[in-house]
Amino acid sequence: MAHLYIHIPFCLSKCSYCSFVSYPGLEHLYDRYINALMTEMRMLTSVYEPQPLDTVFLGGGTPSLLSVENISSLLHSCRERFEIKAQAEISMEINPKTVDFMQVLSLKNCGINRVSLGVQSFIDTELQRLERIHNAQEAWDAVESVRNAGIANINLDLISGIPGQSVDSWRWNLQSAIALNPNHLSLYQLSIEEKTGFFEQFAGGRLPLPDEDEIAGMDEVTAELCRSAGYNQYEISNYARPGFECRHNINYWLNEEYFGVGAGAVRYLTGERIKNIEDPLLYCEKMERGESVVKESESLGPEASFRESVVMGLRMVEGVSSERLLSRYGIDLQLYYKETLEKLLELSLLEFHKPYLRLTAKGRALANQVMADLV
Ligand code: SF4
């Protein structure tokens, strides 16, 4: 079973918190970039034996800026290179500003069966602060368009901890999202990343971030509202109705292999993690000349990969299976971590219900600290 990520590095403008590989003002490259992606898929599948795809994920950037013809050609080429399983999850990230009913209907006909909408907030002043290109009404309209077009598998992305946000405004945001009845919610806490607009404002002391107590209050609201609306938390930031967990992302957290194509994309195949160059123009030029687009690669030995699997697996609420680790790496989790594990269990940051080692609620709040001890 295989998984494919396709990166679309284009946006209409740059949001103030964004550190993703995404660039505005490159409309002239769209067609060329699609051809380059097709070339990379062809090159990859001539080197690596492609297994049938269980998931395909078109992420970005803003994939919904591309024309339906572009997406259709891309998925067509994907089907030529890989077998896509009949029940495959085929996701696409959509910005609420860039979508309408007819477009989603066409995307559905191309095979898209899961849509992830980058809503981030239902409050216009918060959206303006994030420098999003859409407003709250457009987010509501987008959900309606996606659902009316017949795509029921919908994720909404929301951000908590936005500058100026209160516990009450977060509650209102989450209630608004739940009222739209999506199957999946990705609820990320804002982090301030280097080389972003927010980073500069933060460094200059001009960013009124919610304090620790307010963040804790928002976390309580999240737990309470999601539980009562029937969304199970299955990863630190992800909640789903039963059966609607994102299979593509679960594969990452299981630290299993995947294909990745596009500028800035990462792939993990035959034990090697490879990252592509980020510049979309250079990516196109190199692909047109049949040259490598690899920026860096890393081969993990079994022990490093084992530790990585532990840390990534602990992001999931279910935890990491010691049996799975033993059969994959031949390493016994308890023997390997010994005192470190005992200490974390004693501090009630981790719990071990064989075969699963998982973070406790207290451990989830201090997840970075726990991971640092295990990495
Ligand atoms: S839409 Fe997404 S990828 Fe594009 S700039 Fe905003 S946060 Fe970044």
Side-chain angles (χ1 to χ4, degrees):
M1 222 159 43
H3 304 264
L4 171 67
Y5 176 76
I6 303 174
H7 191 71
I8 309 296
F10 308 122
C11 284
L12 282 182
S13 67
K14 196 79 179 167
C15 302
S16 46
Y17 58 98
C18 178
S19 61
F20 303 128
V21 179
S22 71
Y23 305 88
L26 295 182
E27 292 75 9
H28 56 287
L29 272 188
Y30 292 2
D31 290 344
R32 229 174 131 184
Y33 187 77
I34 294 295
N35 285 329
L37 286 172
M38 293 183 195
T39 304
E40 194 184 6
M41 281 197 270
R42 190 178 66 239
M43 285 167 74
L44 274 185
T45 50
S46 67
V47 176
Y48 300 96
E49 177 79 16
Q51 301 291 314
L53 290 174
D54 185 49
T55 70
V56 180
F57 196 106
L58 279 96
T62 308
S64 51
L65 281 179
L66 298 176
S67 66
V68 171
E69 290 71 30
N70 280 156
I71 301 286
S72 171
S73 319
L74 199 53
L75 288 174
H76 179 73
S77 164
C78 186
R79 285 193 173 88
E80 280 179 344
R81 304 287 156 204
F82 299 85
E83 178 192 338
I84 301 185
K85 290 169 69 183
Q87 301 304 320
E89 173 191 278
I90 308 179
S91 302
M92 177 166 158
E93 289 181 338
I94 287 185
N95 183 302
K97 183 82 178 179
T98 61
V99 75
D100 59 39
F101 168 77
M102 287 310 292
Q103 186 192 1
V104 188
L105 197 60
S106 308
L107 290 170
K108 184 181 168 238
N109 291 335
C110 297
I112 301 293
N113 56 25
R114 181 176 186 273
V115 162
S116 180
L117 278 164
V119 171
Q120 318 310 354
S121 170
F122 286 98
I123 298 172
D124 283 342
T125 50
E126 291 182 357
L127 290 167
Q128 286 154 13
R129 186 108 215 193
L130 295 170
E131 295 186 54
R132 298 288 300 176
I133 55 171
H134 63 91
N135 59 34
Q137 186 59 52
E138 285 164 331
W140 274 301
D141 294 346
V143 176
E144 200 175 291
S145 296
V146 173
R147 189 163 282 136
N148 288 345
I151 298 184
N153 199 355
I154 300 174
N155 167 60
L156 303 184
D157 277 351
L158 288 185
I159 295 178
S160 65
I162 296 170
Q165 190 172 57
S166 65
V167 175
D168 281 345
S169 64
W170 171 245
R171 179 184 290 278
W172 196 82
N173 270 322
L174 192 48
Q175 281 171 334
S176 303
I178 290 170
L180 287 165
N181 202 24
N183 288 321
H184 193 285
L185 290 164
S186 291
L187 309 175
Y188 299 106
Q189 194 184 314
L190 179 73
S191 64
I192 307 299
E193 305 292 336
E194 281 185 41
K195 297 184 190 156
T196 62
F198 272 177
F199 188 80
E200 280 175 34
Q201 293 172 41
F202 182 67
R206 288 174 283 116
L207 208 59
L209 293 171
D211 63 25
E212 263 180 36
D213 288 346
E214 286 172 308
I215 293 291
M218 290 177 199
D219 288 346
E220 279 172 30
V221 165
T222 302
E224 169 204 325
L225 292 184
C226 286
R227 195 180 316 114
S228 61
Y231 294 92
N232 298 324
Q233 183 179 18
Y234 70 101
E235 193 266 348
I236 287 179
S237 308
N238 286 281
Y239 298 73
R241 294 246 158 85
F244 289 97
E245 297 81 6
C246 177
R247 279 150 47 196
H248 187 82
N249 287 340
I250 286 176
N251 185 64
Y252 292 139
W253 299 317
L254 289 173
N255 203 19
E256 296 288 354
E257 302 201 330
Y258 51 88
F259 287 85
V261 292
V266 176
R267 63 177 181 269
Y268 180 35
L269 295 166
T270 58
E272 197 179 19
R273 186 165 290 124
I274 293 175
K275 185 168 197 269
N276 282 348
I277 53 170
E278 295 173 359
D279 181 329
L281 175 60
L282 191 59
Y283 172 84
C284 290
E285 289 172 345
K286 280 183 172 281
M287 277 292 113
E288 286 158 6
R289 293 195 294 262
E291 293 173 5
S292 164
V293 288
V294 171
K295 180 185 178 190
E296 57 199 32
S297 67
E298 174 188 33
S299 263
L300 293 179
E303 198 178 329
S305 176
F306 164 82
R307 286 201 302 272
E308 201 178 69
S309 294
V310 172
V311 168
M312 288 170 80
L314 283 175
R315 292 190 61 89
M316 289 190 291
V317 170
E318 165 185 85
V320 60
S321 162
S322 56
E323 282 173 3
R324 193 182 168 107
L325 291 167
L326 188 63
S327 88
R328 182 167 169 189
Y329 299 104
I331 301 177
D332 182 289
L333 184 69
Q334 277 177 296
L335 287 179
Y336 184 81
Y337 282 113
K338 294 191 196 112
E339 294 87 10
T340 308
L341 186 57
E342 280 165 26
K343 181 191 80 181
L344 293 168
L345 291 168
E346 222 171 273
L347 291 170
S348 302
L349 294 170
L350 289 175
E351 60 189 16
F352 194 19
H353 293 295
K354 274 190 176 172
Y356 285 99
L357 178 73
R358 61 178 74 104
L359 290 166
T360 58
K362 183 177 162 194
R364 272 202 291 281
L366 298 169
N368 288 344
Q369 230 169 288
V370 179
M371 309 295 196
D373 275 353
L374 298 170
V375 74

